[in-house]
């Protein structure tokens, strides 16, 4: 699905709505995310903090969990916003980048990728390809196929 200004604006609106529900009693840093499923459905998520830090979940992963729980397996775009100072954007952390790569939709040449829309507080934004933010993502299937190929040659 090609991202036009209307879709980008909708995703940014959705991530700002999700940010309102952040549970951030330890950091006081709210983040919202909206993922666009391959079929056009949007799923929202917010960050949820926990006293046991490893139990904390980022907004992007929260949105992905919601999508997967409803049968989605391919994501074409994600929009993210956070409590950053004016002019800055909130980029996905490394764990979120890897999980986004896991569900990225196929693009030309058999590879998978997605658009990452990082919104500023004034709703202006930066768009980057996930493959640029995470150039060497882990792909278990590719790793297994590569290892299998090496054993037979």
């Amino acid at each position: 699905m090609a991202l036009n200004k209307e879709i980008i604006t909708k995703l940014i609106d959705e991530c700002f709505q999700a940010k309102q529900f952040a549970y951030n009693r330890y950091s006081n840093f709210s983040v919202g995310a909206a993922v666009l499923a391959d079929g056009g459905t949007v799923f929202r998520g917010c960050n949820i903090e926990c006293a046991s830090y490893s139990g904390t979940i980022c907004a992007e992963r929260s949105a992905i969990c919601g999508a997967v729980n409803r049968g989605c397996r391919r994501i074409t775009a994600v929009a993210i916003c956070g409590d950053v100072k004016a002019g800055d954007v909130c980029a996905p952390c490394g764990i979120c980048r890897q999980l986004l790569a896991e569900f990225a939709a196929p693009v030309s040449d058999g590879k998978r990728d997605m658009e990452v829309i990082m919104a500023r507080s004034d709703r202006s934004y930066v768009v980057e390809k996930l493959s640029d933010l995470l150039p060497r993502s882990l792909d278990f299937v590719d790793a297994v196929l590569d290892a299998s190929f090496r054993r037979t040659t």
Side-chain angles (χ1 to χ4, degrees):
M1 176 176 285
L3 289 186
N4 58 38
K5 179 85 171 161
E6 182 181 334
I7 293 171
I8 291 172
T9 300
K10 177 178 175 44
L11 288 172
I12 290 172
D13 288 345
E14 293 283 343
C15 76
F16 272 94
Q17 287 179 33
K19 187 175 90 131
Q20 297 175 57
F21 299 104
Y23 180 77
N24 59 356
R25 64 185 273 193
Y26 303 102
S27 72
N28 292 315
F29 187 81
S30 298
V31 181
V35 296
L36 178 64
D38 205 15
T41 304
V42 175
F43 298 93
R44 298 187 307 197
C46 61
N47 58 317
I48 304 166
E49 296 179 351
C50 179
S52 170
Y53 186 69
S54 63
T56 295
I57 184 166
C58 299
E60 301 92 311
R61 288 184 283 146
S62 175
I64 292 167
C65 288
V68 171
N69 277 313
R70 288 168 187 83
C72 172
R73 295 296 183 264
R74 291 289 174 244
I75 297 169
T76 59
V78 60
I80 307 154
C81 65
D83 287 340
V84 294
K85 58 185 177 174
D88 285 350
V89 295
C90 189
C93 74
I95 293 171
C96 288
R97 292 175 194 201
Q98 183 59 52
L99 192 61
L100 287 164
E102 185 75 21
F103 293 98
V107 293
S108 62
D109 69 8
K111 296 189 179 185
R112 297 180 296 155
D113 208 350
M114 74 174 66
E115 302 289 336
V116 179
I117 305 154
M118 296 167 282
R120 296 182 184 93
S121 57
D122 66 0
R123 295 181 185 245
S124 63
Y125 57 89
V126 174
V127 179
E128 293 195 34
K129 293 272 190 204
L130 180 61
S131 58
D132 292 333
L133 294 173
L134 186 66
R136 295 180 187 258
S137 66
L138 300 174
D139 190 328
F140 181 73
V141 173
D142 288 345
V144 168
L145 293 175
D146 287 348
S148 157
F149 177 74
R150 282 193 298 275
R151 283 193 296 264
T152 60
T153 57

